[in-house]
Amino acid sequence: AQSVSQHNHHVILSEAASLELGCNYSYGGTVNLFWYVQYPGQHLQLLLKYFSGDPLVKGIKGFEAEFIKSKFSFNLRKPSVQWSDTAEYFCAVNADSGYSTLTFGKGTMLLVSP
Amino acid sequence: DSGVTQTPKHLITATGQRVTLRCSPRSGDLSVYWYQQSLDQGLQFLIQYYNGEERAKGNILERFSAQQFPDLHSELNLSSLELGDSALYFCASSARDSSYNEQFFGPGTRLTVL
């Protein structure tokens, strides 16, 4: 069974600091990868996704993620965070096995101090 | 607003009781997914329906059941409730049964079992 691990449960940064959130998955075959964000009091929203092609994908709000197949990783990055990036971030994977269900990591709570 | 609606927003009930959570997908979406979010387990996939048929099952207890109706809305039934069932229950919908289609999440139903 596929699984997703997110390295940090809580991250605290100051505005303008750079962000990198780790995500590793366990599945040996083809995968589709996602990052979702949940702002306080809001529903989960898709930040970015990777299916194939360029391993560096860009998403909304200046976020990007890099797929490194050899490391089974899909880390999320942002060069300069803002207070409005305070949210919980979830990495998710779908194994290209004919089913569309997602396996989520446990999430990383990011707090950005002004 | 994702276009996915869930009712009720909050539900407080007692152990041993039965509750029904309702989800209306985005207009035109055929696929509905149910997820449970708890502090210890994170966000876990429960069950998926596609165009009225059960498509995939995840970590769903036998006390839980779901269905998707002809108008495509879905209900999640939780019975013989236990304290550990207290969680946030999310519904998501997507256009088709494919991971290439983005899943749009509803605001969730917070269930508290006392």
Side-chain angles (χ1 to χ4, degrees):
Chain A
Q2 51 196 306
S3 66
V4 179
S5 63
Q6 293 184 237
H7 309 150
N8 308 99
H9 293 301
H10 294 90
V11 172
I12 301 174
L13 294 173
S14 300
E15 274 194 317
S18 64
L19 169 72
E20 181 160 4
L21 301 182
C23 171
N24 285 90
Y25 64 92
S26 64
Y27 184 73
T30 303
V31 291
N32 298 322
L33 297 157
F34 308 80
W35 275 98
Y36 279 81
V37 61
Q38 187 175 25
Y39 297 104
Q42 294 189 27
H43 56 87
L44 274 85
Q45 303 172 45
L46 183 65
L47 261 184
L48 49 79
K49 58 192 176 188
Y50 172 81
F51 295 142
S52 63
D54 188 345
L56 185 62
V57 293
K58 295 191 183 300
I60 60 172
K61 305 188 180 187
F63 286 91
E64 63 179 32
E66 185 176 14
F67 170 53
I68 303 179
K69 189 174 180 179
S70 61
K71 294 186 178 180
F72 298 89
S73 70
F74 189 56
N75 292 354
L76 181 70
R77 300 196 292 246
K78 186 171 184 179
S80 175
V81 295
Q82 301 171 322
W83 175 79
S84 58
D85 293 324
T86 293
E88 190 157 19
Y89 293 81
F90 295 90
C91 181
V93 63
N94 164 262
D96 192 13
S97 59
Y99 290 95
S100 57
T101 58
L102 298 176
T103 300
F104 283 88
K106 291 198 171 182
T108 297
M109 184 66 220
L110 171 66
L111 177 62
V112 180
S113 57
Chain B
D1 184 1
S2 66
V4 179
T5 60
Q6 290 186 248
T7 56
K9 285 187 178 178
H10 301 276
L11 199 48
I12 301 174
T13 188
T15 54
Q17 295 298 304
R18 173 189 170 95
V19 297
T20 297
L21 313 183
R22 182 188 169 103
C23 168
S24 293
R26 292 188 324 149
S27 177
D29 282 0
L30 299 178
S31 204
V32 170
Y33 309 79
W34 285 97
Y35 294 88
Q36 179 193 58
Q37 185 180 32
S38 61
L39 281 175
D40 53 344
Q41 296 293 325
L43 194 60
Q44 290 205 308
F45 165 69
L46 294 178
I47 195 165
Q48 178 204 358
Y49 278 80
Y50 178 71
N51 204 20
E53 300 290 326
E54 182 183 302
R55 179 72 178 103
K57 260 186 174 179
N59 298 323
I60 188 166
L61 299 171
E62 284 192 12
R63 299 183 285 110
F64 297 181
S65 65
Q67 54 184 325
Q68 187 179 27
F69 294 86
D71 67 352
L72 300 177
H73 91 270
S74 178
E75 293 181 356
L76 179 67
N77 300 296
L78 315 177
S79 61
S80 302
L81 285 168
E82 302 175 358
L83 295 177
D85 298 327
S86 295
L88 196 52
Y89 292 84
F90 286 106
C91 165
S93 74
S94 67
R96 298 289 181 267
D97 180 23
S98 168
S99 62
Y100 297 96
N101 295 125
E102 178 179 346
Q103 289 187 27
F104 293 86
F105 283 76
T109 293
R110 183 170 294 282
L111 173 67
T112 302
V113 182
L114 301 175

